[in-house]
Structures are given as C-alpha cells and as structure tokens.
Amino acid sequence: MNRRKFINRSAVAGAGIATGTSILGCDDNVKNSKDTNSAFAKAQQKPAPIAICTWGFSGATEKAGELLTKGSSALDAIIAGVAVEEENIENTTVGIGATPDREGNVTLDACVMNPEGDCGAVLAVENIVNVAALARKVMEDTPHVILAGKGAEEFAYQQGFKKENLLTEERKIAWQEWLKTSDYKPEINIENHDTIGMLAIDKDGDIAGVCTTSGLGYKMKGRVGDSPIIGSGLFIDNEVGGAVATGMGEEVLKTVGSFLIVELMRGGMSPQKACEEAITRITKKGPRYKDFQIAYIAINKSGEVGSHCIHKGFTMMKYQNGENKNITSSYYNSDKS
C-alpha cells in the first residue's frame, strides 16, 4: 500500500445535578437534570454498527463494516478487517511484504482488546502473517497478555498458523539498497511506520479494537514501538470508547496516548477534542515534533469519531450504513509560533 496515494485529501459529558434553595437554583437544577438525562440517553443509544481505521485502508474497513452489518461481533469484524492489509503484499508496513529491520528480518507486532477489557499482544514475531489474529489467541487461549519473539512464533504454530517468509524479493532489494547509506530518518507520512489500527462498534453497542504493524522501517533488531502496548498503541473501555495511534511509536509511548484519550473522553471530551489534546501533550514537549508524525483516531460509546495528527497528510477510514468514507484529519499547525 503506497502511502503517497493516500495523501490527497460532540461530547457526552459527565453531568452532576447541583442542589440549590432559591427559585433560580431550582430552575437551574431542572435544566441541569434535563441536560443530564439527555446526555445519558444519548450515551445509551446504540449507534449503527461502525468501523474506523487509520490511513486510507478502504478494503479493511469495507471488510469489517460488511461483517458488522451482517451481525458479526466487533472483535470478529476488526480481526478480519486488518487481515486484509496483513495479507496485502503491496503494503510495506503491515504483514507480508513489510519493510525489514536493519539486518533484513521482518518482525511484526500486534495487540487486541475486546469489550470485556481483556487484551492480548505479540511482539517481534517472525514468519507469521496474521499477527492480529495471533494476539487474539494469546488473549483467549493463554493466561498471559503478551508473548514475544520465538515464544510467540512457536505458540502460533501450535495454534495452526502457517509459517511464511515475510520478506518479499522487492523489499529485500530495497533493503539492500538502503544498506549502501544506512540512512535512518523516517519520512513524515511516508510508508515506513504506518500502522493500521481499527476500532468498531457492533449491533449490540460493544466496542473492540486492534492494532497491527511491522514497526519502523530499518529499525534496530528487537525494536518494539507503541503498537502492541496496551494503553499506548490501543486502548478500549466499553463504557466509554476507544482510541488507537499511528506514527512514531517512541513518542506515543511517552504519553500513553490511547489511554489518555479514553480517559479524556470519560471526563466529558468528545473524541475529536480528546485526540487534539493528546497531540498537544506531545507538541508541548519541544520542537522535536517537527521531525515526526503521530496521529490518533478515537470513537466513543455513542458512535462519535475523531482524529487529529501533528502534520498535514493523515486520513482515516469510516464505514457505517454501507458508506465507506476517507476522512481528512485535522492537524497541528507546525508553523505557528
């Protein structure tokens, strides 16, 4: 998946009821009560099934959205959705055909969370294409949350996953060319670290999320970013909503970005405002943000969505009611003083 082809182009508040003794106070209380009831009712309404994902991966949201429309659970839908890109040999950042590390090895990371708050993750896995599905197996069939490296790979074979060479001839040639300079400088919005993260709400109003990636292109051997780390690359709370990140993982980890967004939504922020605040937390740390991209997408319990990034160029997909839309994200203006 060539990222260049994609670069074209609220809130349920926690309300309290104040107590007063004056007539004016009583009127305010009645108004506040109505507002509270209205907000509560909105939060309890089940939106039409919806799937959103990072970047312009239309095939992924189409697959997930169609399954949701047919009544699939959010978890089943997102695992099938991201598998479209894990199996897409043209996508250089996820699954088979991904960019290798500095030593020519393709290693994949993924995590998943279900509506019950259970989670599973795999780190630095070789030879397995569908690592999102593998992360689900860790969640459902082991007493653990994370399996890494050879242990995760061996577990995959035990679960019936097929061994496949993830390094394609095209990626091998590109890696050999890279070795001539070994210049390690990720380009903003270009396909060396573009994770696919997906969030969905099903017909029952339940939320699930997944994140799968090959990480930074030409990373150091053993490097793991934010994508498989619960709370950074992905976080879900079925009573509130969910968020997922993409971009420079090291910087997402420093602010535990996805957990932060969900907690901001819990406090009353819309998904959009919560994503904006999470990006602001990063840009406030100094001018280094000018050299990397980070983007977040989020959804709340009532089906409202939001996205925000540091630099112009990020988009997200949204599938709902049979419509699959690519949405241009708002962004932090890096030129403002």
Side-chain angles (χ1 to χ4, degrees), residues 49-53 55-70 72 77-78 80-82 84-85 196 198-199 317-326:
I50 178 174
I52 63 174
C53 82
W55 299 105
F57 299 120
S58 59
T61 45
E62 182 176 14
K63 179 68 173 181
E66 289 176 349
L67 288 172
L68 290 168
T69 301
K70 294 176 182 178
S72 293
I78 59 175
V82 297
V84 171
E85 290 306 319
I196 176 171
M198 184 177 287
L199 306 167
M317 292 301 305
K318 175 185 175 183
Y319 187 104
Q320 190 174 37
N321 295 321
E323 184 179 18
N324 202 19
K325 298 195 315 183
N326 186 231

PDB file of all heavy atoms in Angstrom, residues 49-53 55-70 72 77-78 80-82 84-85 196 198-199 317-326:
ATOM      1  N   PRO A  49     -23.877   0.030  13.530  1.00  0.00           N
ATOM      2  CA  PRO A  49     -22.526  -0.549  13.532  1.00  0.00           C
ATOM      3  C   PRO A  49     -21.553   0.284  12.705  1.00  0.00           C
ATOM      4  O   PRO A  49     -21.897   0.782  11.620  1.00  0.00           O
ATOM      5  CB  PRO A  49     -22.744  -1.933  12.915  1.00  0.00           C
ATOM      6  CG  PRO A  49     -24.139  -2.278  13.324  1.00  0.00           C
ATOM      7  CD  PRO A  49     -24.893  -0.983  13.230  1.00  0.00           C
ATOM      8  N   ILE A  50     -20.359   0.441  13.220  1.00  0.00           N
ATOM      9  CA  ILE A  50     -19.381   1.335  12.596  1.00  0.00           C
ATOM     10  C   ILE A  50     -17.976   0.779  12.762  1.00  0.00           C
ATOM     11  O   ILE A  50     -17.656   0.162  13.782  1.00  0.00           O
ATOM     12  CB  ILE A  50     -19.476   2.753  13.219  1.00  0.00           C
ATOM     13  CG1 ILE A  50     -18.435   3.703  12.618  1.00  0.00           C
ATOM     14  CG2 ILE A  50     -19.349   2.700  14.726  1.00  0.00           C
ATOM     15  CD1 ILE A  50     -18.581   5.137  13.099  1.00  0.00           C
ATOM     16  N   ALA A  51     -17.159   0.974  11.754  1.00  0.00           N
ATOM     17  CA  ALA A  51     -15.737   0.608  11.820  1.00  0.00           C
ATOM     18  C   ALA A  51     -14.923   1.782  11.325  1.00  0.00           C
ATOM     19  O   ALA A  51     -15.259   2.400  10.308  1.00  0.00           O
ATOM     20  CB  ALA A  51     -15.450  -0.622  10.970  1.00  0.00           C
ATOM     21  N   ILE A  52     -13.855   2.113  12.035  1.00  0.00           N
ATOM     22  CA  ILE A  52     -12.926   3.153  11.597  1.00  0.00           C
ATOM     23  C   ILE A  52     -11.512   2.602  11.663  1.00  0.00           C
ATOM     24  O   ILE A  52     -11.210   1.718  12.462  1.00  0.00           O
ATOM     25  CB  ILE A  52     -13.033   4.444  12.443  1.00  0.00           C
ATOM     26  CG1 ILE A  52     -12.654   4.191  13.912  1.00  0.00           C
ATOM     27  CG2 ILE A  52     -14.427   5.035  12.339  1.00  0.00           C
ATOM     28  CD1 ILE A  52     -12.603   5.468  14.767  1.00  0.00           C
ATOM     29  N   CYS A  53     -10.636   3.132  10.809  1.00  0.00           N
ATOM     30  CA  CYS A  53      -9.238   2.706  10.869  1.00  0.00           C
ATOM     31  C   CYS A  53      -8.326   3.833  10.449  1.00  0.00           C
ATOM     32  O   CYS A  53      -8.744   4.809   9.818  1.00  0.00           O
ATOM     33  CB  CYS A  53      -8.990   1.456  10.015  1.00  0.00           C
ATOM     34  SG  CYS A  53      -8.751   1.750   8.254  1.00  0.00           S
ATOM     35  N   TRP A  55      -5.380   5.723   8.380  1.00  0.00           N
ATOM     36  CA  TRP A  55      -4.969   5.847   6.994  1.00  0.00           C
ATOM     37  C   TRP A  55      -6.101   5.498   6.026  1.00  0.00           C
ATOM     38  O   TRP A  55      -7.251   5.445   6.405  1.00  0.00           O
ATOM     39  CB  TRP A  55      -3.697   5.035   6.726  1.00  0.00           C
ATOM     40  CG  TRP A  55      -2.538   5.482   7.546  1.00  0.00           C
ATOM     41  CD1 TRP A  55      -2.009   4.850   8.645  1.00  0.00           C
ATOM     42  CD2 TRP A  55      -1.774   6.687   7.396  1.00  0.00           C
ATOM     43  NE1 TRP A  55      -0.974   5.583   9.173  1.00  0.00           N
ATOM     44  CE2 TRP A  55      -0.803   6.722   8.423  1.00  0.00           C
ATOM     45  CE3 TRP A  55      -1.824   7.747   6.483  1.00  0.00           C
ATOM     46  CZ2 TRP A  55       0.107   7.753   8.560  1.00  0.00           C
ATOM     47  CZ3 TRP A  55      -0.910   8.787   6.632  1.00  0.00           C
ATOM     48  CH2 TRP A  55       0.033   8.781   7.651  1.00  0.00           C
ATOM     49  N   GLY A  56      -5.757   5.265   4.778  1.00  0.00           N
ATOM     50  CA  GLY A  56      -6.773   5.068   3.745  1.00  0.00           C
ATOM     51  C   GLY A  56      -7.023   3.632   3.387  1.00  0.00           C
ATOM     52  O   GLY A  56      -7.256   3.319   2.213  1.00  0.00           O
ATOM     53  N   PHE A  57      -6.982   2.755   4.348  1.00  0.00           N
ATOM     54  CA  PHE A  57      -7.145   1.325   4.078  1.00  0.00           C
ATOM     55  C   PHE A  57      -8.619   0.983   3.885  1.00  0.00           C
ATOM     56  O   PHE A  57      -9.264   0.373   4.739  1.00  0.00           O
ATOM     57  CB  PHE A  57      -6.536   0.504   5.210  1.00  0.00           C
ATOM     58  CG  PHE A  57      -5.061   0.736   5.403  1.00  0.00           C
ATOM     59  CD1 PHE A  57      -4.574   1.222   6.597  1.00  0.00           C
ATOM     60  CD2 PHE A  57      -4.163   0.470   4.381  1.00  0.00           C
ATOM     61  CE1 PHE A  57      -3.213   1.432   6.792  1.00  0.00           C
ATOM     62  CE2 PHE A  57      -2.797   0.677   4.555  1.00  0.00           C
ATOM     63  CZ  PHE A  57      -2.323   1.160   5.760  1.00  0.00           C
ATOM     64  N   SER A  58      -9.146   1.343   2.733  1.00  0.00           N
ATOM     65  CA  SER A  58     -10.576   1.191   2.467  1.00  0.00           C
ATOM     66  C   SER A  58     -11.030  -0.266   2.448  1.00  0.00           C
ATOM     67  O   SER A  58     -12.148  -0.581   2.860  1.00  0.00           O
ATOM     68  CB  SER A  58     -10.927   1.858   1.137  1.00  0.00           C
ATOM     69  OG  SER A  58     -10.179   1.295   0.062  1.00  0.00           O
ATOM     70  N   GLY A  59     -10.156  -1.150   1.963  1.00  0.00           N
ATOM     71  CA  GLY A  59     -10.530  -2.561   1.936  1.00  0.00           C
ATOM     72  C   GLY A  59     -10.714  -3.141   3.325  1.00  0.00           C
ATOM     73  O   GLY A  59     -11.561  -4.010   3.545  1.00  0.00           O
ATOM     74  N   ALA A  60      -9.941  -2.635   4.274  1.00  0.00           N
ATOM     75  CA  ALA A  60     -10.033  -3.128   5.650  1.00  0.00           C
ATOM     76  C   ALA A  60     -11.349  -2.721   6.298  1.00  0.00           C
ATOM     77  O   ALA A  60     -12.035  -3.545   6.923  1.00  0.00           O
ATOM     78  CB  ALA A  60      -8.856  -2.597   6.468  1.00  0.00           C
ATOM     79  N   THR A  61     -11.718  -1.447   6.164  1.00  0.00           N
ATOM     80  CA  THR A  61     -12.980  -1.018   6.758  1.00  0.00           C
ATOM     81  C   THR A  61     -14.182  -1.594   6.010  1.00  0.00           C
ATOM     82  O   THR A  61     -15.226  -1.859   6.613  1.00  0.00           O
ATOM     83  CB  THR A  61     -13.101   0.520   6.786  1.00  0.00           C
ATOM     84  OG1 THR A  61     -12.701   1.053   5.523  1.00  0.00           O
ATOM     85  CG2 THR A  61     -12.263   1.110   7.903  1.00  0.00           C
ATOM     86  N   GLU A  62     -14.034  -1.780   4.710  1.00  0.00           N
ATOM     87  CA  GLU A  62     -15.133  -2.395   3.954  1.00  0.00           C
ATOM     88  C   GLU A  62     -15.397  -3.812   4.447  1.00  0.00           C
ATOM     89  O   GLU A  62     -16.546  -4.210   4.655  1.00  0.00           O
ATOM     90  CB  GLU A  62     -14.813  -2.407   2.461  1.00  0.00           C
ATOM     91  CG  GLU A  62     -15.929  -2.997   1.615  1.00  0.00           C
ATOM     92  CD  GLU A  62     -15.632  -2.916   0.126  1.00  0.00           C
ATOM     93  OE1 GLU A  62     -14.466  -2.654  -0.237  1.00  0.00           O
ATOM     94  OE2 GLU A  62     -16.560  -3.123  -0.673  1.00  0.00           O
ATOM     95  N   LYS A  63     -14.333  -4.578   4.637  1.00  0.00           N
ATOM     96  CA  LYS A  63     -14.483  -5.946   5.130  1.00  0.00           C
ATOM     97  C   LYS A  63     -15.109  -5.962   6.524  1.00  0.00           C
ATOM     98  O   LYS A  63     -16.078  -6.691   6.778  1.00  0.00           O
ATOM     99  CB  LYS A  63     -13.111  -6.623   5.181  1.00  0.00           C
ATOM    100  CG  LYS A  63     -13.121  -8.054   5.709  1.00  0.00           C
ATOM    101  CD  LYS A  63     -13.841  -8.975   4.738  1.00  0.00           C
ATOM    102  CE  LYS A  63     -13.710 -10.428   5.172  1.00  0.00           C
ATOM    103  NZ  LYS A  63     -14.390 -11.346   4.228  1.00  0.00           N
ATOM    104  N   ALA A  64     -14.572  -5.143   7.423  1.00  0.00           N
ATOM    105  CA  ALA A  64     -15.097  -5.100   8.782  1.00  0.00           C
ATOM    106  C   ALA A  64     -16.536  -4.593   8.799  1.00  0.00           C
ATOM    107  O   ALA A  64     -17.400  -5.146   9.498  1.00  0.00           O
ATOM    108  CB  ALA A  64     -14.214  -4.208   9.657  1.00  0.00           C
ATOM    109  N   GLY A  65     -16.790  -3.543   8.021  1.00  0.00           N
ATOM    110  CA  GLY A  65     -18.127  -2.955   8.001  1.00  0.00           C
ATOM    111  C   GLY A  65     -19.179  -3.914   7.478  1.00  0.00           C
ATOM    112  O   GLY A  65     -20.302  -3.978   8.010  1.00  0.00           O
ATOM    113  N   GLU A  66     -18.843  -4.651   6.446  1.00  0.00           N
ATOM    114  CA  GLU A  66     -19.798  -5.621   5.899  1.00  0.00           C
ATOM    115  C   GLU A  66     -20.104  -6.719   6.905  1.00  0.00           C
ATOM    116  O   GLU A  66     -21.251  -7.162   7.028  1.00  0.00           O
ATOM    117  CB  GLU A  66     -19.246  -6.213   4.602  1.00  0.00           C
ATOM    118  CG  GLU A  66     -19.240  -5.207   3.441  1.00  0.00           C
ATOM    119  CD  GLU A  66     -18.611  -5.774   2.187  1.00  0.00           C
ATOM    120  OE1 GLU A  66     -17.988  -6.863   2.264  1.00  0.00           O
ATOM    121  OE2 GLU A  66     -18.728  -5.123   1.121  1.00  0.00           O
ATOM    122  N   LEU A  67     -19.094  -7.156   7.632  1.00  0.00           N
ATOM    123  CA  LEU A  67     -19.322  -8.173   8.658  1.00  0.00           C
ATOM    124  C   LEU A  67     -20.182  -7.631   9.792  1.00  0.00           C
ATOM    125  O   LEU A  67     -21.079  -8.319  10.296  1.00  0.00           O
ATOM    126  CB  LEU A  67     -17.980  -8.669   9.204  1.00  0.00           C
ATOM    127  CG  LEU A  67     -17.170  -9.549   8.261  1.00  0.00           C
ATOM    128  CD1 LEU A  67     -15.778  -9.816   8.839  1.00  0.00           C
ATOM    129  CD2 LEU A  67     -17.886 -10.872   7.993  1.00  0.00           C
ATOM    130  N   LEU A  68     -19.933  -6.393  10.193  1.00  0.00           N
ATOM    131  CA  LEU A  68     -20.744  -5.774  11.239  1.00  0.00           C
ATOM    132  C   LEU A  68     -22.198  -5.668  10.800  1.00  0.00           C
ATOM    133  O   LEU A  68     -23.118  -5.920  11.586  1.00  0.00           O
ATOM    134  CB  LEU A  68     -20.204  -4.385  11.571  1.00  0.00           C
ATOM    135  CG  LEU A  68     -18.862  -4.333  12.299  1.00  0.00           C
ATOM    136  CD1 LEU A  68     -18.324  -2.903  12.296  1.00  0.00           C
ATOM    137  CD2 LEU A  68     -18.982  -4.847  13.732  1.00  0.00           C
ATOM    138  N   THR A  69     -22.408  -5.310   9.543  1.00  0.00           N
ATOM    139  CA  THR A  69     -23.765  -5.181   9.011  1.00  0.00           C
ATOM    140  C   THR A  69     -24.497  -6.519   9.039  1.00  0.00           C
ATOM    141  O   THR A  69     -25.718  -6.570   9.244  1.00  0.00           O
ATOM    142  CB  THR A  69     -23.715  -4.642   7.567  1.00  0.00           C
ATOM    143  OG1 THR A  69     -23.055  -3.370   7.568  1.00  0.00           O
ATOM    144  CG2 THR A  69     -25.110  -4.469   6.997  1.00  0.00           C
ATOM    145  N   LYS A  70     -23.749  -7.596   8.871  1.00  0.00           N
ATOM    146  CA  LYS A  70     -24.344  -8.931   8.895  1.00  0.00           C
ATOM    147  C   LYS A  70     -24.523  -9.467  10.310  1.00  0.00           C
ATOM    148  O   LYS A  70     -25.015 -10.592  10.491  1.00  0.00           O
ATOM    149  CB  LYS A  70     -23.476  -9.900   8.087  1.00  0.00           C
ATOM    150  CG  LYS A  70     -23.443  -9.582   6.599  1.00  0.00           C
ATOM    151  CD  LYS A  70     -22.484 -10.504   5.866  1.00  0.00           C
ATOM    152  CE  LYS A  70     -22.408 -10.155   4.381  1.00  0.00           C
ATOM    153  NZ  LYS A  70     -21.434 -11.016   3.651  1.00  0.00           N
ATOM    154  N   SER A  72     -21.924  -9.593  12.791  1.00  0.00           N
ATOM    155  CA  SER A  72     -20.709 -10.079  13.452  1.00  0.00           C
ATOM    156  C   SER A  72     -20.365  -9.222  14.662  1.00  0.00           C
ATOM    157  O   SER A  72     -20.738  -8.050  14.734  1.00  0.00           O
ATOM    158  CB  SER A  72     -19.528 -10.065  12.485  1.00  0.00           C
ATOM    159  OG  SER A  72     -19.683 -10.998  11.452  1.00  0.00           O
ATOM    160  N   ALA A  77     -15.078  -8.718  13.498  1.00  0.00           N
ATOM    161  CA  ALA A  77     -15.020  -7.824  12.340  1.00  0.00           C
ATOM    162  C   ALA A  77     -13.652  -7.154  12.196  1.00  0.00           C
ATOM    163  O   ALA A  77     -13.102  -7.078  11.092  1.00  0.00           O
ATOM    164  CB  ALA A  77     -16.118  -6.770  12.450  1.00  0.00           C
ATOM    165  N   ILE A  78     -13.087  -6.686  13.297  1.00  0.00           N
ATOM    166  CA  ILE A  78     -11.811  -5.965  13.187  1.00  0.00           C
ATOM    167  C   ILE A  78     -10.649  -6.893  12.869  1.00  0.00           C
ATOM    168  O   ILE A  78      -9.734  -6.517  12.127  1.00  0.00           O
ATOM    169  CB  ILE A  78     -11.515  -5.137  14.451  1.00  0.00           C
ATOM    170  CG1 ILE A  78     -11.445  -6.024  15.688  1.00  0.00           C
ATOM    171  CG2 ILE A  78     -12.540  -4.022  14.618  1.00  0.00           C
ATOM    172  CD1 ILE A  78     -11.041  -5.288  16.960  1.00  0.00           C
ATOM    173  N   ALA A  80     -10.826  -9.590  11.060  1.00  0.00           N
ATOM    174  CA  ALA A  80     -10.949  -9.856   9.623  1.00  0.00           C
ATOM    175  C   ALA A  80     -10.588  -8.630   8.810  1.00  0.00           C
ATOM    176  O   ALA A  80      -9.990  -8.732   7.732  1.00  0.00           O
ATOM    177  CB  ALA A  80     -12.374 -10.301   9.295  1.00  0.00           C
ATOM    178  N   GLY A  81     -10.930  -7.447   9.325  1.00  0.00           N
ATOM    179  CA  GLY A  81     -10.642  -6.213   8.598  1.00  0.00           C
ATOM    180  C   GLY A  81      -9.156  -5.956   8.434  1.00  0.00           C
ATOM    181  O   GLY A  81      -8.682  -5.708   7.314  1.00  0.00           O
ATOM    182  N   VAL A  82      -8.400  -6.021   9.510  1.00  0.00           N
ATOM    183  CA  VAL A  82      -6.964  -5.731   9.395  1.00  0.00           C
ATOM    184  C   VAL A  82      -6.219  -6.842   8.668  1.00  0.00           C
ATOM    185  O   VAL A  82      -5.142  -6.606   8.109  1.00  0.00           O
ATOM    186  CB  VAL A  82      -6.316  -5.466  10.775  1.00  0.00           C
ATOM    187  CG1 VAL A  82      -6.926  -4.232  11.420  1.00  0.00           C
ATOM    188  CG2 VAL A  82      -6.398  -6.680  11.688  1.00  0.00           C
ATOM    189  N   VAL A  84      -6.961  -8.003   5.906  1.00  0.00           N
ATOM    190  CA  VAL A  84      -6.898  -7.582   4.501  1.00  0.00           C
ATOM    191  C   VAL A  84      -5.554  -6.928   4.202  1.00  0.00           C
ATOM    192  O   VAL A  84      -4.931  -7.189   3.170  1.00  0.00           O
ATOM    193  CB  VAL A  84      -8.055  -6.607   4.182  1.00  0.00           C
ATOM    194  CG1 VAL A  84      -7.872  -5.997   2.795  1.00  0.00           C
ATOM    195  CG2 VAL A  84      -9.399  -7.319   4.281  1.00  0.00           C
ATOM    196  N   GLU A  85      -5.095  -6.084   5.130  1.00  0.00           N
ATOM    197  CA  GLU A  85      -3.810  -5.415   4.925  1.00  0.00           C
ATOM    198  C   GLU A  85      -2.624  -6.283   5.331  1.00  0.00           C
ATOM    199  O   GLU A  85      -1.549  -6.186   4.743  1.00  0.00           O
ATOM    200  CB  GLU A  85      -3.780  -4.079   5.657  1.00  0.00           C
ATOM    201  CG  GLU A  85      -4.681  -3.035   5.038  1.00  0.00           C
ATOM    202  CD  GLU A  85      -4.403  -2.835   3.549  1.00  0.00           C
ATOM    203  OE1 GLU A  85      -3.214  -2.819   3.157  1.00  0.00           O
ATOM    204  OE2 GLU A  85      -5.373  -2.694   2.779  1.00  0.00           O
ATOM    205  N   ILE A 196      -1.759   0.006  10.868  1.00  0.00           N
ATOM    206  CA  ILE A 196      -3.208   0.005  10.733  1.00  0.00           C
ATOM    207  C   ILE A 196      -3.806  -0.333  12.094  1.00  0.00           C
ATOM    208  O   ILE A 196      -3.531  -1.387  12.668  1.00  0.00           O
ATOM    209  CB  ILE A 196      -3.744  -0.954   9.642  1.00  0.00           C
ATOM    210  CG1 ILE A 196      -5.284  -0.933   9.657  1.00  0.00           C
ATOM    211  CG2 ILE A 196      -3.197  -2.356   9.789  1.00  0.00           C
ATOM    212  CD1 ILE A 196      -5.927  -1.660   8.505  1.00  0.00           C
ATOM    213  N   MET A 198      -7.637  -0.331  14.113  1.00  0.00           N
ATOM    214  CA  MET A 198      -9.066  -0.310  13.804  1.00  0.00           C
ATOM    215  C   MET A 198      -9.891  -0.394  15.075  1.00  0.00           C
ATOM    216  O   MET A 198      -9.558  -1.125  16.012  1.00  0.00           O
ATOM    217  CB  MET A 198      -9.430  -1.477  12.872  1.00  0.00           C
ATOM    218  CG  MET A 198     -10.890  -1.477  12.432  1.00  0.00           C
ATOM    219  SD  MET A 198     -11.277  -2.809  11.253  1.00  0.00           S
ATOM    220  CE  MET A 198     -10.460  -2.186   9.781  1.00  0.00           C
ATOM    221  N   LEU A 199     -10.990   0.367  15.090  1.00  0.00           N
ATOM    222  CA  LEU A 199     -11.948   0.372  16.185  1.00  0.00           C
ATOM    223  C   LEU A 199     -13.326   0.109  15.586  1.00  0.00           C
ATOM    224  O   LEU A 199     -13.624   0.561  14.479  1.00  0.00           O
ATOM    225  CB  LEU A 199     -11.959   1.722  16.897  1.00  0.00           C
ATOM    226  CG  LEU A 199     -10.619   2.247  17.405  1.00  0.00           C
ATOM    227  CD1 LEU A 199     -10.738   3.720  17.784  1.00  0.00           C
ATOM    228  CD2 LEU A 199     -10.138   1.424  18.606  1.00  0.00           C
ATOM    229  N   MET A 317     -10.317   6.072   7.714  1.00  0.00           N
ATOM    230  CA  MET A 317     -11.475   5.494   7.039  1.00  0.00           C
ATOM    231  C   MET A 317     -12.621   5.317   8.039  1.00  0.00           C
ATOM    232  O   MET A 317     -12.389   5.005   9.211  1.00  0.00           O
ATOM    233  CB  MET A 317     -11.125   4.138   6.426  1.00  0.00           C
ATOM    234  CG  MET A 317     -10.154   4.170   5.269  1.00  0.00           C
ATOM    235  SD  MET A 317     -10.690   5.163   3.841  1.00  0.00           S
ATOM    236  CE  MET A 317     -12.295   4.426   3.471  1.00  0.00           C
ATOM    237  N   LYS A 318     -13.838   5.477   7.537  1.00  0.00           N
ATOM    238  CA  LYS A 318     -15.032   5.255   8.353  1.00  0.00           C
ATOM    239  C   LYS A 318     -16.076   4.525   7.518  1.00  0.00           C
ATOM    240  O   LYS A 318     -16.476   5.004   6.452  1.00  0.00           O
ATOM    241  CB  LYS A 318     -15.601   6.588   8.847  1.00  0.00           C
ATOM    242  CG  LYS A 318     -16.927   6.457   9.600  1.00  0.00           C
ATOM    243  CD  LYS A 318     -17.493   7.827   9.954  1.00  0.00           C
ATOM    244  CE  LYS A 318     -18.876   7.714  10.587  1.00  0.00           C
ATOM    245  NZ  LYS A 318     -19.463   9.062  10.860  1.00  0.00           N
ATOM    246  N   TYR A 319     -16.520   3.366   8.018  1.00  0.00           N
ATOM    247  CA  TYR A 319     -17.568   2.592   7.348  1.00  0.00           C
ATOM    248  C   TYR A 319     -18.789   2.541   8.250  1.00  0.00           C
ATOM    249  O   TYR A 319     -18.705   2.062   9.385  1.00  0.00           O
ATOM    250  CB  TYR A 319     -17.093   1.174   7.036  1.00  0.00           C
ATOM    251  CG  TYR A 319     -18.071   0.374   6.198  1.00  0.00           C
ATOM    252  CD1 TYR A 319     -17.836   0.160   4.841  1.00  0.00           C
ATOM    253  CD2 TYR A 319     -19.232  -0.157   6.753  1.00  0.00           C
ATOM    254  CE1 TYR A 319     -18.727  -0.572   4.055  1.00  0.00           C
ATOM    255  CE2 TYR A 319     -20.137  -0.889   5.978  1.00  0.00           C
ATOM    256  CZ  TYR A 319     -19.878  -1.090   4.634  1.00  0.00           C
ATOM    257  OH  TYR A 319     -20.763  -1.817   3.868  1.00  0.00           O
ATOM    258  N   GLN A 320     -19.915   3.034   7.752  1.00  0.00           N
ATOM    259  CA  GLN A 320     -21.167   2.991   8.506  1.00  0.00           C
ATOM    260  C   GLN A 320     -22.332   3.108   7.530  1.00  0.00           C
ATOM    261  O   GLN A 320     -22.271   3.884   6.580  1.00  0.00           O
ATOM    262  CB  GLN A 320     -21.229   4.113   9.545  1.00  0.00           C
ATOM    263  CG  GLN A 320     -22.398   3.994  10.532  1.00  0.00           C
ATOM    264  CD  GLN A 320     -22.325   5.044  11.631  1.00  0.00           C
ATOM    265  OE1 GLN A 320     -21.938   6.179  11.397  1.00  0.00           O
ATOM    266  NE2 GLN A 320     -22.695   4.649  12.842  1.00  0.00           N
ATOM    267  N   ASN A 321     -23.376   2.323   7.776  1.00  0.00           N
ATOM    268  CA  ASN A 321     -24.578   2.362   6.939  1.00  0.00           C
ATOM    269  C   ASN A 321     -24.263   2.170   5.456  1.00  0.00           C
ATOM    270  O   ASN A 321     -24.852   2.822   4.585  1.00  0.00           O
ATOM    271  CB  ASN A 321     -25.333   3.683   7.147  1.00  0.00           C
ATOM    272  CG  ASN A 321     -25.871   3.830   8.553  1.00  0.00           C
ATOM    273  OD1 ASN A 321     -26.347   2.863   9.157  1.00  0.00           O
ATOM    274  ND2 ASN A 321     -25.796   5.043   9.107  1.00  0.00           N
ATOM    275  N   GLY A 322     -23.311   1.294   5.177  1.00  0.00           N
ATOM    276  CA  GLY A 322     -22.980   0.981   3.799  1.00  0.00           C
ATOM    277  C   GLY A 322     -22.094   1.992   3.098  1.00  0.00           C
ATOM    278  O   GLY A 322     -21.753   1.824   1.926  1.00  0.00           O
ATOM    279  N   GLU A 323     -21.699   3.046   3.792  1.00  0.00           N
ATOM    280  CA  GLU A 323     -20.849   4.084   3.208  1.00  0.00           C
ATOM    281  C   GLU A 323     -19.436   3.982   3.761  1.00  0.00           C
ATOM    282  O   GLU A 323     -19.231   3.965   4.966  1.00  0.00           O
ATOM    283  CB  GLU A 323     -21.426   5.472   3.505  1.00  0.00           C
ATOM    284  CG  GLU A 323     -20.656   6.597   2.847  1.00  0.00           C
ATOM    285  CD  GLU A 323     -21.261   7.963   3.135  1.00  0.00           C
ATOM    286  OE1 GLU A 323     -22.052   8.090   4.094  1.00  0.00           O
ATOM    287  OE2 GLU A 323     -20.925   8.919   2.406  1.00  0.00           O
ATOM    288  N   ASN A 324     -18.470   3.918   2.849  1.00  0.00           N
ATOM    289  CA  ASN A 324     -17.064   3.789   3.228  1.00  0.00           C
ATOM    290  C   ASN A 324     -16.349   5.078   2.846  1.00  0.00           C
ATOM    291  O   ASN A 324     -16.105   5.342   1.669  1.00  0.00           O
ATOM    292  CB  ASN A 324     -16.450   2.598   2.488  1.00  0.00           C
ATOM    293  CG  ASN A 324     -15.212   2.060   3.163  1.00  0.00           C
ATOM    294  OD1 ASN A 324     -14.967   2.312   4.339  1.00  0.00           O
ATOM    295  ND2 ASN A 324     -14.427   1.293   2.424  1.00  0.00           N
ATOM    296  N   LYS A 325     -16.045   5.924   3.840  1.00  0.00           N
ATOM    297  CA  LYS A 325     -15.517   7.255   3.571  1.00  0.00           C
ATOM    298  C   LYS A 325     -14.088   7.427   4.058  1.00  0.00           C
ATOM    299  O   LYS A 325     -13.724   6.941   5.123  1.00  0.00           O
ATOM    300  CB  LYS A 325     -16.376   8.326   4.262  1.00  0.00           C
ATOM    301  CG  LYS A 325     -17.799   8.386   3.790  1.00  0.00           C
ATOM    302  CD  LYS A 325     -18.494   9.673   4.226  1.00  0.00           C
ATOM    303  CE  LYS A 325     -18.239  10.031   5.651  1.00  0.00           C
ATOM    304  NZ  LYS A 325     -18.975  11.253   6.077  1.00  0.00           N
ATOM    305  N   ASN A 326     -13.298   8.140   3.257  1.00  0.00           N
ATOM    306  CA  ASN A 326     -11.964   8.556   3.670  1.00  0.00           C
ATOM    307  C   ASN A 326     -12.063   9.981   4.200  1.00  0.00           C
ATOM    308  O   ASN A 326     -12.518  10.885   3.497  1.00  0.00           O
ATOM    309  CB  ASN A 326     -10.991   8.475   2.495  1.00  0.00           C
ATOM    310  CG  ASN A 326      -9.561   8.747   2.890  1.00  0.00           C
ATOM    311  OD1 ASN A 326      -8.874   9.553   2.303  1.00  0.00           O
ATOM    312  ND2 ASN A 326      -9.087   8.041   3.908  1.00  0.00           N
TER     313      ASN A 326
END
